């Protein structure tokens, strides 16, 4: 089964989609994000490099990073908490070539194991994506509809928990 479905990213954050663009998310130049793998909060403190494929530089993409488990996985009443949005990323480049409309916020999972999800959308045109009013109660689906982004073209997520937490699952 698809790891995004197993991890409930498909269902809780996005609808079923067919990945069509290559995306790699790399922290600290050597830690690549893989679905369901755990990264320490210290590793994800600064924004990652996000490389995308796509149909060449004329295509534009929007990257969203969100936490559907805020403030805790057992009671995610702030779902989703928005960590980052970059828009107008040209295809075949990386997120540093885009426009950061919500700056990167370091993940701080205080309670439990949180999922942090990177979702990539293809834009219909440049400079059409607007920043949301708040980071809390963000909804990837609504944001996608409001900004005419359609279904995602790529997604990946990692897990993180407090470094001082007992290392039990």
């Amino acid at each position: 089964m698809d790891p995004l479905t197993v991890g409930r990213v498909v269902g809780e954050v996005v609808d079923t989609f067919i990945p069509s663009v290559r995306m790699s998310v790399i922290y600290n130049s050597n830690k690549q994000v893989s679905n369901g793998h755990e990264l320490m909060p210290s590793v994800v403190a600064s924004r990652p490099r996000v490389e995308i494929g796509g149909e060449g530089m004329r295509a534009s993409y929007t990257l969203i990073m969100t936490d559907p488990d805020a403030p805790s996985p057992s009671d995610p009443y702030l779902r989703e908490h928005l960590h980052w949005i970059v828009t107008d990323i040209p295809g075949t480049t990386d997120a540093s070539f885009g426009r950061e409309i919500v700056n990167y916020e370091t993940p701080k999972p205080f309670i439990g194991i949180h999922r942090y999800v990177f979702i990539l959308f293809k834009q219909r045109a440049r400079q059409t994506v607007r920043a949301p009013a708040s980071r809390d109660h963000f909804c990837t689906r609504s944001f996608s509809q409001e900004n005419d982004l359609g279904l995602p073209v790529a997604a990946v997520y990692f897990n993180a928990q407090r470094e001082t937490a007992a290392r039990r699952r």
Side-chain angles (χ1 to χ4, degrees):
M1 229 165 96
D2 172 49
L4 292 169
T5 306
V6 174
R8 298 185 324 281
V9 169
V10 168
E12 290 181 3
V13 181
V14 296
D15 294 324
T16 303
F17 71 96
I18 290 137
S20 58
V21 173
R22 184 185 53 73
M23 173 174 72
S24 68
V25 180
I26 300 141
Y27 278 98
N28 297 343
S29 74
N30 65 353
K31 291 268 190 273
Q32 180 147 359
V33 173
S34 304
N35 283 319
H37 288 232
E38 187 169 346
L39 293 176
M40 297 287 137
S42 56
V43 169
V44 299
S46 35
R47 72 169 64 89
R49 179 177 168 86
V50 180
E51 298 171 351
I52 61 171
E55 304 155 19
M57 292 179 74
R58 280 196 295 277
S60 294
Y61 296 88
T62 290
L63 174 73
I64 295 170
M65 178 186 178
T66 180
D67 172 4
D69 299 316
S72 77
S74 56
D75 185 20
Y77 64 86
L78 296 176
R79 172 178 292 167
E80 302 158 38
H81 184 78
L82 178 64
H83 281 269
W84 197 28
I85 298 182
V86 184
T87 70
D88 300 334
I89 306 167
T92 71
T93 69
D94 68 72
S96 68
F97 290 91
R99 204 163 51 93
E100 192 176 62
I101 60 170
V102 175
N103 58 359
Y104 184 80
E105 181 181 282
T106 301
K108 292 186 176 72
F110 291 115
I111 305 161
I113 298 171
H114 289 236
R115 294 165 293 165
Y116 293 93
V117 187
F118 294 89
I119 307 131
L120 189 69
F121 292 93
K122 184 169 193 252
Q123 295 170 220
R124 309 229 188 281
R126 283 184 200 263
Q127 294 179 347
T128 54
V129 178
R130 310 235 175 298
S134 165
R135 288 182 187 262
D136 285 328
H137 303 291
F138 179 77
C139 177
T140 299
R141 280 188 186 92
S142 303
F143 184 80
S144 162
Q145 286 165 354
E146 289 157 18
N147 290 281
D148 196 26
L149 293 170
L151 287 170
V153 294
V156 67
Y157 80 100
F158 68 90
N159 294 325
Q161 62 181 313
R162 253 175 56 203
E163 304 221 13
T164 55
R167 313 302 298 156
R168 282 196 313 263
R169 269 266 193 252

